[in-house]
Amino acid sequence: MAWLAAGGGYEVTLDAGRIACRNQKGKVLRTMPSSLRDDPVVAGLRQLTEWLARHEAEVREQVDLWMIRSLPVPAPLLARVWPDETWRAALTDLVVAVLDEEGNFDPDEAGFLRDATPEGIGIVNLDGETVRLAADRVAVPHPTRLPDLDDLREFAADLGVKQSVDQLFRQTWTRPAGLEAGATSIGEYAGGRFAELRHLLARAASLGYPVRGGYAVCRVFEDGRALEARSWVGADDPYSEAETGDLVFVHPDGKSIPLAEVGPVAWSEGMRMAAALYAGRVVEQSTEESA
């Protein structure tokens, strides 16, 4: 971004998301002079940085939703947003695949996204070759839908891939075999104590999980149906002590889904939510540990 003239002969610009200032001699200052704090140009840059931060958060949230809700993404849309640096940073090196007319994709044809134009998407395929594919719709597969996940992770490390959106190296959970028949809840991450309910609610909000009816909610679309993973957080006085509760899965109408019928994406994302909430609990040190 170019340097902009401000008051007192100073110039300001944005540098890596921060406002930088230089004097008339061209020296970049470590701190901004107090006389510029209310300068209209500086105020404008401050508003721009705030908008850019919101834009980046919204873009990453949208890409994350494409993945966890298995939403088909129109290829022309990728081409339109690709010139935007924020979108490009979020999309570059995501594992993508072309969807067929039935909405399915071939995992062997997936690759790391490197470009998107009206002519198609450019990917680095699993053979290490850069190819351009014509596509109407693409998928951003959840890692549980990638059968060769370990091989992809190893290949990504060899390529030096660094994803801005947590996809390939996202922590995943696999539904265990031999679940009790008819079971509808799991308590692996129940019992995490918080000094006050508002702390637990704030943690859910910071992680991006809305709270409804005492449950933190993660909405997933899998195998042609919508469902929700719900982790109990509480609905009492916000200043009262609270504990994380069981994780359940429900249809949009609130009807419980037996654990044995929960798909791999919903299971993994539900457990991820429950584990993240539980991780913020109060951990009491023993007398020996604190000595």
Side-chain angles (χ1 to χ4, degrees):
M1 182 175 178
W3 288 92
L4 304 176
Y10 293 102
E11 291 183 322
V12 292
T13 190
L14 285 183
D15 182 18
R18 300 180 62 184
I19 301 176
C21 177
R22 70 184 183 185
N23 60 23
Q24 294 177 343
K25 296 181 179 180
K27 180 181 179 181
V28 178
L29 307 179
R30 292 184 179 181
T31 59
M32 184 180 300
S34 58
S35 61
L36 292 182
R37 296 189 185 281
D38 297 324
D39 186 273
V41 176
V42 174
L45 287 181
R46 191 176 296 116
Q47 292 174 351
L48 178 58
T49 59
E50 293 170 355
W51 181 87
L52 289 172
R54 290 195 302 271
H55 180 51
E56 181 178 1
E58 290 168 356
V59 166
R60 292 190 178 191
E61 180 181 7
Q62 182 60 67
V63 175
D64 199 63
L65 288 177
W66 288 343
M67 178 177 59
I68 67 174
R69 296 187 181 180
S70 303
L71 297 175
V73 184
L77 173 61
L78 295 183
R80 286 198 297 272
V81 301
W82 192 261
D84 184 321
E85 182 178 343
T86 301
W87 274 103
R88 192 164 60 252
L91 293 168
T92 297
D93 280 334
L94 285 179
V95 177
V96 298
V98 176
L99 291 170
D100 60 23
E101 294 181 357
E102 286 73 38
N104 301 314
F105 67 89
D106 183 351
D108 292 333
E109 297 298 324
F112 297 95
L113 184 63
R114 292 292 173 87
D115 188 28
T117 68
E119 289 70 39
I121 60 170
I123 66 169
V124 175
N125 63 22
L126 303 187
D127 293 324
E129 299 176 347
T130 300
V131 297
R132 183 166 296 280
L133 304 175
D136 293 324
R137 299 180 304 164
V138 302
V140 182
H142 188 276
T144 60
R145 300 183 66 198
L146 296 170
D148 299 320
L149 182 58
D150 290 338
D151 291 340
L152 274 169
R153 286 172 171 171
E154 184 177 350
F155 186 43
D158 292 340
L159 289 177
V161 165
K162 294 182 179 179
Q163 296 181 324
S164 295
V165 174
D166 192 10
Q167 181 202 26
L168 199 55
F169 294 95
R170 192 182 194 89
Q171 188 173 8
T172 58
W173 282 257
T174 302
R175 188 185 65 196
L179 291 169
E180 181 181 347
T184 58
S185 65
I186 182 168
E188 184 173 341
Y189 294 108
R193 187 177 69 83
F194 286 74
E196 297 178 1
L197 174 58
R198 64 190 182 100
H199 298 162
L200 180 49
L201 296 177
R203 182 167 181 81
S206 68
L207 293 168
Y209 300 116
V211 176
R212 299 197 301 268
Y215 287 94
V217 177
C218 176
R219 186 174 175 83
V220 178
F221 191 83
E222 185 172 15
D223 295 331
R225 65 174 183 172
L227 67 154
E228 292 181 350
R230 296 181 179 178
S231 184
W232 178 256
V233 294
D236 298 322
D237 182 347
Y239 293 90
S240 63
E241 188 173 301
E243 285 188 354
T244 55
D246 288 350
L247 173 68
V248 298
F249 299 87
V250 301
H251 294 289
D253 61 4
K255 183 180 179 181
S256 295
I257 302 174
L259 298 182
E261 298 178 12
V262 177
V265 176
W267 182 275
S268 184
E269 289 301 310
M271 292 293 285
R272 184 174 184 265
M273 173 178 65
L277 295 172
Y278 183 80
R281 70 194 184 283
V282 174
V283 179
E284 297 181 357
Q285 291 186 326
S286 66
T287 304
E288 293 181 358
E289 290 176 335
S290 58

PDB file of all heavy atoms in Angstrom, residues 98-132:
ATOM      1  N   VAL A  98     -13.132 -32.317  -7.966  1.00  0.00           N
ATOM      2  CA  VAL A  98     -14.244 -31.974  -8.852  1.00  0.00           C
ATOM      3  C   VAL A  98     -15.424 -32.888  -8.558  1.00  0.00           C
ATOM      4  O   VAL A  98     -15.275 -34.114  -8.453  1.00  0.00           O
ATOM      5  CB  VAL A  98     -13.819 -32.109 -10.326  1.00  0.00           C
ATOM      6  CG1 VAL A  98     -15.012 -31.842 -11.243  1.00  0.00           C
ATOM      7  CG2 VAL A  98     -12.681 -31.148 -10.633  1.00  0.00           C
ATOM      8  N   LEU A  99     -16.607 -32.296  -8.415  1.00  0.00           N
ATOM      9  CA  LEU A  99     -17.824 -33.067  -8.172  1.00  0.00           C
ATOM     10  C   LEU A  99     -18.470 -33.479  -9.483  1.00  0.00           C
ATOM     11  O   LEU A  99     -18.508 -32.705 -10.438  1.00  0.00           O
ATOM     12  CB  LEU A  99     -18.819 -32.240  -7.360  1.00  0.00           C
ATOM     13  CG  LEU A  99     -18.446 -31.955  -5.897  1.00  0.00           C
ATOM     14  CD1 LEU A  99     -19.406 -30.938  -5.303  1.00  0.00           C
ATOM     15  CD2 LEU A  99     -18.448 -33.233  -5.083  1.00  0.00           C
ATOM     16  N   ASP A 100     -19.010 -34.704  -9.520  1.00  0.00           N
ATOM     17  CA  ASP A 100     -19.749 -35.124 -10.704  1.00  0.00           C
ATOM     18  C   ASP A 100     -21.205 -34.694 -10.575  1.00  0.00           C
ATOM     19  O   ASP A 100     -21.585 -34.000  -9.618  1.00  0.00           O
ATOM     20  CB  ASP A 100     -19.624 -36.643 -10.908  1.00  0.00           C
ATOM     21  CG  ASP A 100     -20.179 -37.446  -9.730  1.00  0.00           C
ATOM     22  OD1 ASP A 100     -21.032 -36.913  -8.986  1.00  0.00           O
ATOM     23  OD2 ASP A 100     -19.773 -38.609  -9.558  1.00  0.00           O
ATOM     24  N   GLU A 101     -22.036 -35.107 -11.520  1.00  0.00           N
ATOM     25  CA  GLU A 101     -23.429 -34.673 -11.524  1.00  0.00           C
ATOM     26  C   GLU A 101     -24.196 -35.165 -10.302  1.00  0.00           C
ATOM     27  O   GLU A 101     -25.187 -34.548  -9.897  1.00  0.00           O
ATOM     28  CB  GLU A 101     -24.124 -35.164 -12.807  1.00  0.00           C
ATOM     29  CG  GLU A 101     -23.572 -34.518 -14.087  1.00  0.00           C
ATOM     30  CD  GLU A 101     -24.296 -34.997 -15.321  1.00  0.00           C
ATOM     31  OE1 GLU A 101     -25.178 -35.875 -15.174  1.00  0.00           O
ATOM     32  OE2 GLU A 101     -23.994 -34.495 -16.418  1.00  0.00           O
ATOM     33  N   GLU A 102     -23.775 -36.290  -9.719  1.00  0.00           N
ATOM     34  CA  GLU A 102     -24.452 -36.831  -8.539  1.00  0.00           C
ATOM     35  C   GLU A 102     -23.910 -36.237  -7.237  1.00  0.00           C
ATOM     36  O   GLU A 102     -24.372 -36.582  -6.148  1.00  0.00           O
ATOM     37  CB  GLU A 102     -24.298 -38.362  -8.491  1.00  0.00           C
ATOM     38  CG  GLU A 102     -25.158 -39.112  -9.500  1.00  0.00           C
ATOM     39  CD  GLU A 102     -24.635 -38.958 -10.909  1.00  0.00           C
ATOM     40  OE1 GLU A 102     -23.389 -38.949 -11.090  1.00  0.00           O
ATOM     41  OE2 GLU A 102     -25.461 -38.836 -11.842  1.00  0.00           O
ATOM     42  N   GLY A 103     -22.917 -35.356  -7.349  1.00  0.00           N
ATOM     43  CA  GLY A 103     -22.356 -34.748  -6.164  1.00  0.00           C
ATOM     44  C   GLY A 103     -21.271 -35.565  -5.497  1.00  0.00           C
ATOM     45  O   GLY A 103     -20.918 -35.315  -4.339  1.00  0.00           O
ATOM     46  N   ASN A 104     -20.701 -36.531  -6.213  1.00  0.00           N
ATOM     47  CA  ASN A 104     -19.625 -37.363  -5.680  1.00  0.00           C
ATOM     48  C   ASN A 104     -18.291 -36.941  -6.280  1.00  0.00           C
ATOM     49  O   ASN A 104     -18.239 -36.243  -7.295  1.00  0.00           O
ATOM     50  CB  ASN A 104     -19.897 -38.840  -5.995  1.00  0.00           C
ATOM     51  CG  ASN A 104     -21.216 -39.323  -5.423  1.00  0.00           C
ATOM     52  OD1 ASN A 104     -21.536 -39.056  -4.265  1.00  0.00           O
ATOM     53  ND2 ASN A 104     -21.997 -40.023  -6.235  1.00  0.00           N
ATOM     54  N   PHE A 105     -17.210 -37.386  -5.660  1.00  0.00           N
ATOM     55  CA  PHE A 105     -15.880 -37.082  -6.190  1.00  0.00           C
ATOM     56  C   PHE A 105     -14.977 -38.299  -6.032  1.00  0.00           C
ATOM     57  O   PHE A 105     -15.207 -39.165  -5.179  1.00  0.00           O
ATOM     58  CB  PHE A 105     -15.266 -35.869  -5.488  1.00  0.00           C
ATOM     59  CG  PHE A 105     -14.920 -36.073  -4.034  1.00  0.00           C
ATOM     60  CD1 PHE A 105     -13.674 -36.565  -3.659  1.00  0.00           C
ATOM     61  CD2 PHE A 105     -15.842 -35.783  -3.042  1.00  0.00           C
ATOM     62  CE1 PHE A 105     -13.352 -36.764  -2.328  1.00  0.00           C
ATOM     63  CE2 PHE A 105     -15.531 -35.972  -1.701  1.00  0.00           C
ATOM     64  CZ  PHE A 105     -14.287 -36.460  -1.348  1.00  0.00           C
ATOM     65  N   ASP A 106     -13.961 -38.342  -6.854  1.00  0.00           N
ATOM     66  CA  ASP A 106     -12.975 -39.420  -6.818  1.00  0.00           C
ATOM     67  C   ASP A 106     -11.800 -38.950  -5.955  1.00  0.00           C
ATOM     68  O   ASP A 106     -11.083 -38.017  -6.336  1.00  0.00           O
ATOM     69  CB  ASP A 106     -12.499 -39.741  -8.234  1.00  0.00           C
ATOM     70  CG  ASP A 106     -11.530 -40.914  -8.268  1.00  0.00           C
ATOM     71  OD1 ASP A 106     -11.093 -41.359  -7.193  1.00  0.00           O
ATOM     72  OD2 ASP A 106     -11.195 -41.370  -9.386  1.00  0.00           O
ATOM     73  N   PRO A 107     -11.564 -39.577  -4.795  1.00  0.00           N
ATOM     74  CA  PRO A 107     -10.455 -39.155  -3.925  1.00  0.00           C
ATOM     75  C   PRO A 107      -9.098 -39.198  -4.621  1.00  0.00           C
ATOM     76  O   PRO A 107      -8.202 -38.407  -4.288  1.00  0.00           O
ATOM     77  CB  PRO A 107     -10.518 -40.153  -2.763  1.00  0.00           C
ATOM     78  CG  PRO A 107     -11.931 -40.659  -2.765  1.00  0.00           C
ATOM     79  CD  PRO A 107     -12.331 -40.685  -4.211  1.00  0.00           C
ATOM     80  N   ASP A 108      -8.957 -40.108  -5.600  1.00  0.00           N
ATOM     81  CA  ASP A 108      -7.676 -40.212  -6.308  1.00  0.00           C
ATOM     82  C   ASP A 108      -7.439 -39.033  -7.240  1.00  0.00           C
ATOM     83  O   ASP A 108      -6.322 -38.826  -7.712  1.00  0.00           O
ATOM     84  CB  ASP A 108      -7.634 -41.513  -7.119  1.00  0.00           C
ATOM     85  CG  ASP A 108      -7.593 -42.743  -6.225  1.00  0.00           C
ATOM     86  OD1 ASP A 108      -7.093 -42.622  -5.084  1.00  0.00           O
ATOM     87  OD2 ASP A 108      -8.074 -43.811  -6.654  1.00  0.00           O
ATOM     88  N   GLU A 109      -8.497 -38.261  -7.522  1.00  0.00           N
ATOM     89  CA  GLU A 109      -8.370 -37.105  -8.406  1.00  0.00           C
ATOM     90  C   GLU A 109      -8.299 -35.797  -7.616  1.00  0.00           C
ATOM     91  O   GLU A 109      -8.348 -34.715  -8.216  1.00  0.00           O
ATOM     92  CB  GLU A 109      -9.555 -37.055  -9.376  1.00  0.00           C
ATOM     93  CG  GLU A 109      -9.631 -38.247 -10.320  1.00  0.00           C
ATOM     94  CD  GLU A 109      -8.416 -38.342 -11.217  1.00  0.00           C
ATOM     95  OE1 GLU A 109      -7.908 -37.283 -11.632  1.00  0.00           O
ATOM     96  OE2 GLU A 109      -7.971 -39.474 -11.498  1.00  0.00           O
ATOM     97  N   ALA A 110      -8.194 -35.892  -6.300  1.00  0.00           N
ATOM     98  CA  ALA A 110      -8.100 -34.685  -5.472  1.00  0.00           C
ATOM     99  C   ALA A 110      -6.701 -34.087  -5.604  1.00  0.00           C
ATOM    100  O   ALA A 110      -5.747 -34.760  -6.021  1.00  0.00           O
ATOM    101  CB  ALA A 110      -8.395 -35.016  -4.017  1.00  0.00           C
ATOM    102  N   GLY A 111      -6.577 -32.818  -5.261  1.00  0.00           N
ATOM    103  CA  GLY A 111      -5.275 -32.165  -5.334  1.00  0.00           C
ATOM    104  C   GLY A 111      -5.270 -30.864  -4.561  1.00  0.00           C
ATOM    105  O   GLY A 111      -6.311 -30.417  -4.046  1.00  0.00           O
ATOM    106  N   PHE A 112      -4.123 -30.240  -4.486  1.00  0.00           N
ATOM    107  CA  PHE A 112      -3.954 -28.998  -3.745  1.00  0.00           C
ATOM    108  C   PHE A 112      -4.260 -27.807  -4.658  1.00  0.00           C
ATOM    109  O   PHE A 112      -3.634 -27.651  -5.708  1.00  0.00           O
ATOM    110  CB  PHE A 112      -2.528 -28.899  -3.199  1.00  0.00           C
ATOM    111  CG  PHE A 112      -2.187 -29.983  -2.211  1.00  0.00           C
ATOM    112  CD1 PHE A 112      -1.538 -31.140  -2.633  1.00  0.00           C
ATOM    113  CD2 PHE A 112      -2.531 -29.856  -0.879  1.00  0.00           C
ATOM    114  CE1 PHE A 112      -1.235 -32.148  -1.731  1.00  0.00           C
ATOM    115  CE2 PHE A 112      -2.231 -30.854   0.032  1.00  0.00           C
ATOM    116  CZ  PHE A 112      -1.590 -32.009  -0.383  1.00  0.00           C
ATOM    117  N   LEU A 113      -5.217 -26.995  -4.253  1.00  0.00           N
ATOM    118  CA  LEU A 113      -5.664 -25.879  -5.073  1.00  0.00           C
ATOM    119  C   LEU A 113      -4.573 -24.816  -5.174  1.00  0.00           C
ATOM    120  O   LEU A 113      -4.067 -24.329  -4.176  1.00  0.00           O
ATOM    121  CB  LEU A 113      -6.939 -25.266  -4.473  1.00  0.00           C
ATOM    122  CG  LEU A 113      -7.585 -24.135  -5.267  1.00  0.00           C
ATOM    123  CD1 LEU A 113      -8.056 -24.629  -6.628  1.00  0.00           C
ATOM    124  CD2 LEU A 113      -8.752 -23.543  -4.476  1.00  0.00           C
ATOM    125  N   ARG A 114      -4.251 -24.421  -6.388  1.00  0.00           N
ATOM    126  CA  ARG A 114      -3.234 -23.410  -6.628  1.00  0.00           C
ATOM    127  C   ARG A 114      -3.738 -22.234  -7.470  1.00  0.00           C
ATOM    128  O   ARG A 114      -3.088 -21.189  -7.517  1.00  0.00           O
ATOM    129  CB  ARG A 114      -2.011 -24.043  -7.314  1.00  0.00           C
ATOM    130  CG  ARG A 114      -1.241 -25.024  -6.426  1.00  0.00           C
ATOM    131  CD  ARG A 114      -0.554 -24.303  -5.285  1.00  0.00           C
ATOM    132  NE  ARG A 114       0.064 -25.191  -4.318  1.00  0.00           N
ATOM    133  CZ  ARG A 114       1.305 -25.663  -4.446  1.00  0.00           C
ATOM    134  NH1 ARG A 114       2.041 -25.366  -5.493  1.00  0.00           N
ATOM    135  NH2 ARG A 114       1.809 -26.442  -3.500  1.00  0.00           N
ATOM    136  N   ASP A 115      -4.889 -22.410  -8.140  1.00  0.00           N
ATOM    137  CA  ASP A 115      -5.371 -21.335  -9.004  1.00  0.00           C
ATOM    138  C   ASP A 115      -6.842 -21.586  -9.341  1.00  0.00           C
ATOM    139  O   ASP A 115      -7.307 -22.735  -9.306  1.00  0.00           O
ATOM    140  CB  ASP A 115      -4.546 -21.288 -10.300  1.00  0.00           C
ATOM    141  CG  ASP A 115      -4.863 -20.068 -11.149  1.00  0.00           C
ATOM    142  OD1 ASP A 115      -5.263 -19.039 -10.576  1.00  0.00           O
ATOM    143  OD2 ASP A 115      -4.725 -20.152 -12.380  1.00  0.00           O
ATOM    144  N   ALA A 116      -7.569 -20.507  -9.620  1.00  0.00           N
ATOM    145  CA  ALA A 116      -8.965 -20.631 -10.031  1.00  0.00           C
ATOM    146  C   ALA A 116      -9.268 -19.530 -11.035  1.00  0.00           C
ATOM    147  O   ALA A 116      -9.102 -18.349 -10.746  1.00  0.00           O
ATOM    148  CB  ALA A 116      -9.896 -20.520  -8.827  1.00  0.00           C
ATOM    149  N   THR A 117      -9.668 -19.929 -12.237  1.00  0.00           N
ATOM    150  CA  THR A 117      -9.999 -18.987 -13.311  1.00  0.00           C
ATOM    151  C   THR A 117     -11.291 -19.458 -13.962  1.00  0.00           C
ATOM    152  O   THR A 117     -11.758 -20.580 -13.711  1.00  0.00           O
ATOM    153  CB  THR A 117      -8.887 -18.947 -14.375  1.00  0.00           C
ATOM    154  OG1 THR A 117      -8.857 -20.210 -15.064  1.00  0.00           O
ATOM    155  CG2 THR A 117      -7.531 -18.671 -13.743  1.00  0.00           C
ATOM    156  N   PRO A 118     -11.883 -18.626 -14.833  1.00  0.00           N
ATOM    157  CA  PRO A 118     -13.084 -19.072 -15.544  1.00  0.00           C
ATOM    158  C   PRO A 118     -12.860 -20.335 -16.373  1.00  0.00           C
ATOM    159  O   PRO A 118     -13.816 -21.047 -16.704  1.00  0.00           O
ATOM    160  CB  PRO A 118     -13.422 -17.876 -16.441  1.00  0.00           C
ATOM    161  CG  PRO A 118     -12.874 -16.694 -15.695  1.00  0.00           C
ATOM    162  CD  PRO A 118     -11.602 -17.190 -15.082  1.00  0.00           C
ATOM    163  N   GLU A 119     -11.612 -20.623 -16.727  1.00  0.00           N
ATOM    164  CA  GLU A 119     -11.304 -21.811 -17.528  1.00  0.00           C
ATOM    165  C   GLU A 119     -11.219 -23.076 -16.682  1.00  0.00           C
ATOM    166  O   GLU A 119     -11.164 -24.184 -17.217  1.00  0.00           O
ATOM    167  CB  GLU A 119      -9.988 -21.622 -18.284  1.00  0.00           C
ATOM    168  CG  GLU A 119     -10.057 -20.622 -19.426  1.00  0.00           C
ATOM    169  CD  GLU A 119     -10.203 -19.190 -18.925  1.00  0.00           C
ATOM    170  OE1 GLU A 119      -9.563 -18.845 -17.907  1.00  0.00           O
ATOM    171  OE2 GLU A 119     -10.974 -18.429 -19.539  1.00  0.00           O
ATOM    172  N   GLY A 120     -11.167 -22.945 -15.358  1.00  0.00           N
ATOM    173  CA  GLY A 120     -11.075 -24.117 -14.504  1.00  0.00           C
ATOM    174  C   GLY A 120     -10.214 -23.869 -13.281  1.00  0.00           C
ATOM    175  O   GLY A 120      -9.797 -22.743 -13.005  1.00  0.00           O
ATOM    176  N   ILE A 121      -9.954 -24.941 -12.543  1.00  0.00           N
ATOM    177  CA  ILE A 121      -9.131 -24.836 -11.336  1.00  0.00           C
ATOM    178  C   ILE A 121      -7.773 -25.473 -11.587  1.00  0.00           C
ATOM    179  O   ILE A 121      -7.655 -26.476 -12.290  1.00  0.00           O
ATOM    180  CB  ILE A 121      -9.815 -25.504 -10.123  1.00  0.00           C
ATOM    181  CG1 ILE A 121     -10.075 -26.993 -10.391  1.00  0.00           C
ATOM    182  CG2 ILE A 121     -11.108 -24.787  -9.761  1.00  0.00           C
ATOM    183  CD1 ILE A 121     -10.533 -27.761  -9.157  1.00  0.00           C
ATOM    184  N   GLY A 122      -6.743 -24.874 -11.027  1.00  0.00           N
ATOM    185  CA  GLY A 122      -5.396 -25.411 -11.141  1.00  0.00           C
ATOM    186  C   GLY A 122      -5.021 -26.104  -9.837  1.00  0.00           C
ATOM    187  O   GLY A 122      -5.160 -25.523  -8.762  1.00  0.00           O
ATOM    188  N   ILE A 123      -4.602 -27.350  -9.934  1.00  0.00           N
ATOM    189  CA  ILE A 123      -4.231 -28.105  -8.745  1.00  0.00           C
ATOM    190  C   ILE A 123      -2.889 -28.798  -8.941  1.00  0.00           C
ATOM    191  O   ILE A 123      -2.437 -29.004 -10.070  1.00  0.00           O
ATOM    192  CB  ILE A 123      -5.283 -29.181  -8.381  1.00  0.00           C
ATOM    193  CG1 ILE A 123      -5.333 -30.274  -9.462  1.00  0.00           C
ATOM    194  CG2 ILE A 123      -6.664 -28.557  -8.173  1.00  0.00           C
ATOM    195  CD1 ILE A 123      -6.137 -31.497  -9.059  1.00  0.00           C
ATOM    196  N   VAL A 124      -2.255 -29.136  -7.819  1.00  0.00           N
ATOM    197  CA  VAL A 124      -1.123 -30.052  -7.827  1.00  0.00           C
ATOM    198  C   VAL A 124      -1.694 -31.399  -7.421  1.00  0.00           C
ATOM    199  O   VAL A 124      -2.192 -31.556  -6.300  1.00  0.00           O
ATOM    200  CB  VAL A 124      -0.017 -29.612  -6.854  1.00  0.00           C
ATOM    201  CG1 VAL A 124       1.090 -30.668  -6.802  1.00  0.00           C
ATOM    202  CG2 VAL A 124       0.557 -28.269  -7.266  1.00  0.00           C
ATOM    203  N   ASN A 125      -1.686 -32.374  -8.336  1.00  0.00           N
ATOM    204  CA  ASN A 125      -2.319 -33.656  -8.037  1.00  0.00           C
ATOM    205  C   ASN A 125      -1.400 -34.557  -7.223  1.00  0.00           C
ATOM    206  O   ASN A 125      -0.266 -34.172  -6.866  1.00  0.00           O
ATOM    207  CB  ASN A 125      -2.785 -34.357  -9.323  1.00  0.00           C
ATOM    208  CG  ASN A 125      -1.621 -34.715 -10.252  1.00  0.00           C
ATOM    209  OD1 ASN A 125      -0.471 -34.836  -9.834  1.00  0.00           O
ATOM    210  ND2 ASN A 125      -1.935 -34.882 -11.533  1.00  0.00           N
ATOM    211  N   LEU A 126      -1.872 -35.749  -6.931  1.00  0.00           N
ATOM    212  CA  LEU A 126      -1.136 -36.645  -6.052  1.00  0.00           C
ATOM    213  C   LEU A 126       0.116 -37.225  -6.711  1.00  0.00           C
ATOM    214  O   LEU A 126       0.900 -37.900  -6.034  1.00  0.00           O
ATOM    215  CB  LEU A 126      -2.054 -37.775  -5.579  1.00  0.00           C
ATOM    216  CG  LEU A 126      -3.339 -37.310  -4.868  1.00  0.00           C
ATOM    217  CD1 LEU A 126      -4.106 -38.497  -4.294  1.00  0.00           C
ATOM    218  CD2 LEU A 126      -3.004 -36.318  -3.763  1.00  0.00           C
ATOM    219  N   ASP A 127       0.290 -36.969  -7.994  1.00  0.00           N
ATOM    220  CA  ASP A 127       1.526 -37.366  -8.682  1.00  0.00           C
ATOM    221  C   ASP A 127       2.531 -36.222  -8.703  1.00  0.00           C
ATOM    222  O   ASP A 127       3.604 -36.344  -9.306  1.00  0.00           O
ATOM    223  CB  ASP A 127       1.216 -37.801 -10.123  1.00  0.00           C
ATOM    224  CG  ASP A 127       0.395 -39.078 -10.173  1.00  0.00           C
ATOM    225  OD1 ASP A 127       0.623 -39.957  -9.314  1.00  0.00           O
ATOM    226  OD2 ASP A 127      -0.493 -39.184 -11.048  1.00  0.00           O
ATOM    227  N   GLY A 128       2.175 -35.100  -8.094  1.00  0.00           N
ATOM    228  CA  GLY A 128       3.063 -33.956  -8.060  1.00  0.00           C
ATOM    229  C   GLY A 128       3.027 -33.113  -9.313  1.00  0.00           C
ATOM    230  O   GLY A 128       3.881 -32.236  -9.500  1.00  0.00           O
ATOM    231  N   GLU A 129       2.037 -33.358 -10.179  1.00  0.00           N
ATOM    232  CA  GLU A 129       1.929 -32.628 -11.430  1.00  0.00           C
ATOM    233  C   GLU A 129       0.919 -31.490 -11.298  1.00  0.00           C
ATOM    234  O   GLU A 129      -0.116 -31.636 -10.638  1.00  0.00           O
ATOM    235  CB  GLU A 129       1.499 -33.561 -12.560  1.00  0.00           C
ATOM    236  CG  GLU A 129       2.477 -34.689 -12.828  1.00  0.00           C
ATOM    237  CD  GLU A 129       1.968 -35.638 -13.893  1.00  0.00           C
ATOM    238  OE1 GLU A 129       0.760 -35.543 -14.231  1.00  0.00           O
ATOM    239  OE2 GLU A 129       2.756 -36.462 -14.375  1.00  0.00           O
ATOM    240  N   THR A 130       1.216 -30.362 -11.921  1.00  0.00           N
ATOM    241  CA  THR A 130       0.300 -29.235 -11.944  1.00  0.00           C
ATOM    242  C   THR A 130      -0.623 -29.385 -13.138  1.00  0.00           C
ATOM    243  O   THR A 130      -0.157 -29.442 -14.285  1.00  0.00           O
ATOM    244  CB  THR A 130       1.063 -27.904 -12.028  1.00  0.00           C
ATOM    245  OG1 THR A 130       1.925 -27.785 -10.890  1.00  0.00           O
ATOM    246  CG2 THR A 130       0.092 -26.733 -12.035  1.00  0.00           C
ATOM    247  N   VAL A 131      -1.918 -29.465 -12.885  1.00  0.00           N
ATOM    248  CA  VAL A 131      -2.891 -29.666 -13.953  1.00  0.00           C
ATOM    249  C   VAL A 131      -4.046 -28.682 -13.785  1.00  0.00           C
ATOM    250  O   VAL A 131      -4.285 -28.163 -12.687  1.00  0.00           O
ATOM    251  CB  VAL A 131      -3.442 -31.112 -13.959  1.00  0.00           C
ATOM    252  CG1 VAL A 131      -2.338 -32.112 -14.236  1.00  0.00           C
ATOM    253  CG2 VAL A 131      -4.130 -31.432 -12.636  1.00  0.00           C
ATOM    254  N   ARG A 132      -4.747 -28.422 -14.874  1.00  0.00           N
ATOM    255  CA  ARG A 132      -5.942 -27.571 -14.824  1.00  0.00           C
ATOM    256  C   ARG A 132      -7.147 -28.426 -15.179  1.00  0.00           C
ATOM    257  O   ARG A 132      -7.136 -29.139 -16.177  1.00  0.00           O
ATOM    258  CB  ARG A 132      -5.821 -26.388 -15.778  1.00  0.00           C
ATOM    259  CG  ARG A 132      -7.019 -25.439 -15.715  1.00  0.00           C
ATOM    260  CD  ARG A 132      -6.726 -24.125 -16.413  1.00  0.00           C
ATOM    261  NE  ARG A 132      -5.652 -23.397 -15.744  1.00  0.00           N
ATOM    262  CZ  ARG A 132      -5.810 -22.668 -14.647  1.00  0.00           C
ATOM    263  NH1 ARG A 132      -7.015 -22.576 -14.076  1.00  0.00           N
ATOM    264  NH2 ARG A 132      -4.795 -22.044 -14.111  1.00  0.00           N
TER     265      ARG A 132
END
